[in-house]
Amino acid sequence: MDVTMRRSFRCFLMVNAALMLTACTPFDLAYTGIASQRHSGHPAPHPGDVSNPGDTSHAGSAPRSGRDSGSGDAPARPQFPTLHPGDEGALVEKVQSRLDRLGFKAGPPGSEYGPALRMAVWAFQKANGLPAVDRVDPPTWQALSHPERVRPLVPSGGSVRVEIDLRRQLLTAWKDGRPALITHISTGTGKPYCKNGHCGVAVTPAGDFRAWWRTAGWTSGPLGDQFYTVYFNGGIGFHGSERVPRHPASHGCIRVPLHNARPLFDMIQTGHQVYVRRPA
């Protein structure tokens, strides 16, 4: 076996060992050390690794002098690579699996950081007091290891209900006292509009409501196309949409990512409670 083949075989063993370690260790300790295929820079440091975020000259490396102001020979903390949309691999699968278990559904299982996972990450970040950003960064890794408890907006609500948080742009569907599905949403802009001869103010009113009408599949109306709609306040409802940005953008309805529209439709039946709130 020549030198090139020996090196290739050694790399193969290292990668497989790293993947096995990721699968077997607790989530907050898992680390592959394998750079993203698209973003192949240095992995992002674990929170607290670098005292000055602007100085990464010796992040993740041993001190040159062999001493570290009181740290002795303590091993470095594990580092987690920052993931971005478009990245692929075992670590992306692990993030998706973790989010699914926490109720932040990210669509069918897969190894790519695609649109569904992107919006599931937004929802998780907002629920944990983080800015919704297009990356799984060190603060997000930390929150995935130690997530905030999802607290109900209406603790006395029905066992099956929907709670809509206008401030954080989050929808939580509760079932048997547990958050079964938590998703990013986009609600009314609060601005006047005129479209196809229909004019009004794009407001999603707060209040206590009940689901009263449901339409399966795609439907079309004067204000656009909707996917699996559940109406709860006249013509206002929550439905799947191809456009669910990180800001309020609708005419009053609650836009939901397409992959979460059918599960919500199946869970929320006519008569179930829908609470819309704008917490302080």
Side-chain angles (χ1 to χ4, degrees):
M1 185 181 295
D2 59 25
V3 175
T4 302
M5 292 183 65
R6 282 199 300 271
R7 288 178 177 172
S8 299
F9 184 70
R10 189 181 302 120
C11 289
F12 174 81
L13 290 178
M14 290 174 64
V15 170
N16 277 275
L19 292 175
M20 290 177 64
L21 178 64
T22 301
C24 298
T25 54
F27 185 85
D28 57 335
L29 297 179
Y31 170 61
T32 63
I34 302 172
S36 155
Q37 292 181 4
R38 291 197 180 185
H39 305 274
S40 57
H42 296 291
H46 187 281
D49 281 349
V50 183
S51 58
N52 180 2
D55 178 12
T56 58
S57 59
H58 43 273
S61 63
R64 293 181 183 178
S65 64
R67 295 177 296 176
D68 182 21
S69 62
S71 64
D73 295 325
R77 293 180 183 179
Q79 294 177 330
F80 295 79
T82 295
L83 302 177
H84 300 79
D87 287 346
E88 297 179 321
L91 206 54
V92 173
E93 290 185 61
K94 199 167 186 68
V95 169
Q96 180 173 1
S97 176
R98 176 65 168 169
L99 290 173
D100 281 339
R101 289 198 300 272
L102 294 172
F104 299 87
K105 305 304 181 183
S111 60
E112 182 179 1
Y113 193 156
L117 180 56
R118 180 184 182 219
M119 285 185 273
V121 169
W122 289 351
F124 176 78
Q125 289 167 333
K126 290 189 290 185
N128 283 268
L130 300 172
V133 295
D134 278 337
R135 59 186 178 274
V136 179
D137 54 10
T140 307
W141 282 118
Q142 185 173 359
L144 284 167
S145 294
H146 305 286
E148 294 283 341
R149 177 171 171 261
V150 178
R151 300 183 182 277
L153 295 176
V154 185
S156 60
S159 61
V160 179
R161 67 185 188 276
V162 167
E163 295 181 349
I164 295 166
D165 186 330
L166 296 174
R167 182 178 64 84
R168 295 191 295 176
Q169 295 287 281
L170 282 174
L171 180 152
T172 303
W174 293 80
K175 185 175 182 179
D176 300 327
R178 300 175 62 86
L181 191 157
I182 309 159
T183 180
H184 160 74
I185 58 174
S186 179
T187 60
T189 64
K191 300 177 181 178
Y193 70 88
C194 279
K195 184 174 182 178
N196 297 329
H198 292 261
C199 298
V201 180
V203 173
T204 304
D208 299 353
F209 309 97
R210 288 186 182 270
W212 72 275
W213 188 255
R214 302 159 73 248
T215 56
W218 283 102
T219 54
S220 296
L223 299 179
D225 297 334
Q226 303 175 183
F227 188 61
Y228 282 95
T229 306
V230 177
Y231 294 97
F232 61 84
N233 180 14
I236 293 177
F238 48 85
H239 61 80
S241 174
E242 294 177 320
R243 183 171 175 266
V244 192
R246 281 175 284 190
H247 58 272
S250 82
H251 297 97
C253 281
I254 293 87
R255 297 182 187 177
V256 173
L258 289 177
H259 68 279
N260 281 332
R262 178 65 186 271
L264 273 173
F265 182 88
D266 291 341
M267 189 185 311
I268 306 302
Q269 303 297 314
T270 301
H272 282 153
Q273 296 163 316
V274 179
Y275 298 100
V276 184
R277 296 287 189 271
R278 187 180 295 277

